[in-house]
């Protein structure tokens, strides 16, 4: 174990843990590169599994959403393995778009879980993402030039797609709308994705769209002040006319998700686009999910054939 408080100990490789959960699915590659560039030994927790979720349940209220239970499990899995835990607190990003309170609060849960033995490095991002990371980088390596260089190299990994993907005519497509930490965590989203694919559907995801679409501010989206919910809604608006059906993944206990999903449902109904909302928690069984997705895939197929015939 490295004594982080002792001057001169920065040369020893600090083992810094990153939970493979929540914001990892947006910023993970950037964080890994940044911390490695600072000379840290980066430890990413293993993929989510049932045991990981069970472990998380013991540290958070049963009322919180599944992603927060999952990240608690990852923190518990890492705390005996590392000298420090890297868990940025995303408060608000540009345009004063906020993260949800549960996401902001996870750092306080982590602080309680880690006690005094493991250092928590939790840069508070309030508008200026890079400045917060620069300051936090100094906690890993006190050399500001090294921090600036590592940040400059790593930031290239933040770039998202430049352009929207093609939506070619004649292709079977569904939009799978959900937070990146639900869709891309295989424990949560893999069964839904693969079931659509087995039925011949291309699965279109929010994060395949460029940020100029995801961060659009017009009409209703301007009134959504939660940054990742605005992305969901804008992705829905962009894709709803280009797909055979829309499937929305919602976390049980998530207020923002349930509110925005209702607006999506209503707009899909007005356009006559099949809409499926799947509410996920730790009790959701794969078999039940697959059955619902299969039934929905058939419904979407019938509508597609009817449109072709008409
Ligand atoms: S937005 Fe919803 S799912 Fe995401 S952390 Fe907040 S409450 Fe949980």
């Amino acid at each position: 174990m490295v004594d982080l408080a002792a001057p001169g100990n920065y040369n020893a490789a600090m083992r810094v843990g990153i939970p493979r959960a929540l914001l990892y699915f947006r910023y993970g590659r950037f964080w890994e590169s940044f911390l490695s560039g600072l000379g840290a030994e980066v430890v990413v927790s293993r993929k989510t599994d049932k045991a990981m979720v069970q472990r998380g349940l013991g540290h958070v209220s049963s009322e919180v959403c599944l992603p927060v239970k999952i990240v608690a499990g990852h923190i518990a899995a890492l705390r005996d393995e590392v000298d420090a835990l890297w868990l940025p607190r995303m408060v608000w990003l540009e345009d004063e778009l906020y993260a949800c309170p549960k996401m902001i609060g996870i750092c306080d849960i982590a602080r309680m879980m880690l006690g005094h033995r493991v250092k928590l490095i939790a840069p508070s991002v309030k508008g200026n993402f890079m400045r917060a990371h620069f300051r936090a980088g100094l906690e890993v390596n006190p050399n500001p030039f090294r921090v600036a260089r590592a940040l400059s190299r790593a930031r290239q990994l933040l770039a998202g797609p430049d352009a929207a993907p093609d939506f070619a005519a004649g292709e079977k497509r569904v939009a799978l709308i959900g937070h990146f930490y639900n869709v891309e965590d295989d424990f949560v989203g893999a069964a839904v994705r693969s079931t659509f694919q087995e039925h011949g559907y291309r699965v279109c995801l929010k994060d395949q769209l460029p940020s100029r679409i995801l961060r659009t501010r017009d009409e209703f989206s301007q009134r959504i002040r939660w940054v990742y919910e605005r992305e969901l809604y804008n992705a829905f608006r962009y894709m709803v006319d280009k797909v055979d059906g829309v499937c929305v993944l919602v976390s049980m206990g998530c207020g923002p998700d349930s509110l925005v999903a209702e607006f999506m449902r209503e707009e899909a109904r007005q356009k006559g686009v099949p809409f499926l909302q799947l509410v996920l928690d730790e009790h959701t069984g794969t078999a039940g999910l697959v059955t619902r997705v299969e039934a929905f895939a058939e419904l979407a197929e019938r509508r597609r054939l009817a449109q072709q015939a008409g």
Side-chain angles (χ1 to χ4, degrees):
M1 181 75 59
V2 178
D3 178 3
L4 300 174
N9 259 355
Y10 292 102
N11 287 335
M14 184 194 295
R15 283 172 68 82
V16 181
I18 309 178
R20 191 190 295 271
L22 220 56
L23 295 173
Y24 175 84
F25 290 101
R26 169 67 58 90
Y27 303 107
R29 288 194 321 134
F30 163 73
W31 288 338
E32 286 182 54
S33 166
F34 178 46
L35 293 170
S36 300
L38 298 178
E41 182 185 340
V42 179
V43 181
V44 180
S45 49
R46 69 175 194 273
K47 288 186 175 183
T48 308
D49 55 25
K50 206 166 179 56
M52 187 80 90
V53 180
Q54 287 298 326
R55 207 164 173 181
L57 297 179
H59 295 280
V60 293
S61 155
S62 59
E63 304 295 312
V64 299
C65 61
L66 180 60
V68 169
K69 291 170 181 163
I70 288 176
V71 76
H74 284 263
I75 294 167
L78 280 170
R79 64 183 170 182
D80 295 330
E81 308 289 325
V82 297
D83 306 307
L85 188 88
W86 177 264
L87 194 66
R89 187 196 293 266
M90 227 52 84
V91 181
W92 58 272
L93 296 176
E94 77 278 10
D95 198 21
E96 299 206 6
L97 285 169
Y98 283 79
C100 94
K102 287 174 193 158
M103 195 179 285
I104 295 171
I106 189 65
C107 296
D108 300 305
I109 294 171
R111 207 178 296 280
M112 284 190 294
M113 290 174 67
L114 298 176
H116 298 296
R117 210 177 51 76
V118 177
K119 181 184 175 78
L120 177 66
I121 306 177
S124 239
V125 176
K126 296 179 180 172
N128 195 324
F129 184 89
M130 286 300 160
R131 186 166 59 202
H133 281 74
F134 179 83
R135 285 190 182 144
L138 293 172
E139 295 185 48
V140 180
N141 190 313
N143 181 337
F145 300 104
R146 179 115 183 232
V147 176
R149 198 168 61 234
L151 201 52
S152 163
R153 283 196 186 136
R155 72 185 304 169
Q156 296 160 16
L157 298 169
L158 286 174
D162 291 332
D166 276 346
F167 292 95
E171 183 186 47
K172 288 169 66 171
R173 283 188 293 265
V174 287
L176 179 58
I177 306 286
H179 291 296
F180 44 87
Y181 43 83
N182 281 332
V183 172
E184 290 175 35
D185 188 327
D186 284 349
F187 181 79
V188 182
V192 176
R193 285 197 320 262
S194 62
T195 305
F196 278 124
Q197 285 161 348
E198 282 160 19
H199 283 73
Y201 281 90
R202 174 178 146 204
V203 179
C204 304
L205 303 176
K206 166 178 83 71
D207 291 281
Q208 294 165 344
L209 300 177
S211 66
R212 69 181 160 73
I213 293 175
L214 297 179
R215 298 290 171 84
T216 303
R217 286 191 301 162
D218 62 8
E219 302 172 27
F220 177 65
S221 69
Q222 187 162 6
R223 291 157 57 193
I224 303 174
R225 303 308 304 175
W226 298 296
V227 57
Y228 302 119
E229 296 296 334
R230 185 185 281 187
E231 290 185 0
L232 292 185
Y233 182 74
N234 282 331
F236 164 81
R237 287 288 296 274
Y238 186 81
M239 292 199 275
V240 64
D241 297 321
K242 302 175 178 65
V243 294
D244 302 306
V246 174
C247 175
V248 178
L249 293 187
V250 172
S251 306
M252 174 78 87
C254 174
D257 271 7
S258 54
L259 185 67
V260 173
E262 281 312 304
F263 285 96
M264 294 188 220
R265 181 200 298 279
E266 179 55 21
E267 287 191 37
R269 189 190 65 74
Q270 287 173 9
K271 290 173 184 286
V273 177
F275 184 90
L276 174 67
Q277 179 175 318
L278 296 172
V279 182
L280 307 169
D281 69 8
E282 65 276 19
H283 305 298
T284 306
T286 304
L289 269 186
V290 168
T291 304
R292 293 192 63 195
V293 172
E294 284 179 337
F296 180 74
E298 276 176 34
L299 179 73
E301 176 69 358
R302 257 186 262 144
R303 179 213 182 227
R304 197 175 74 87
L305 294 175
Q307 278 192 327
Q308 279 178 350

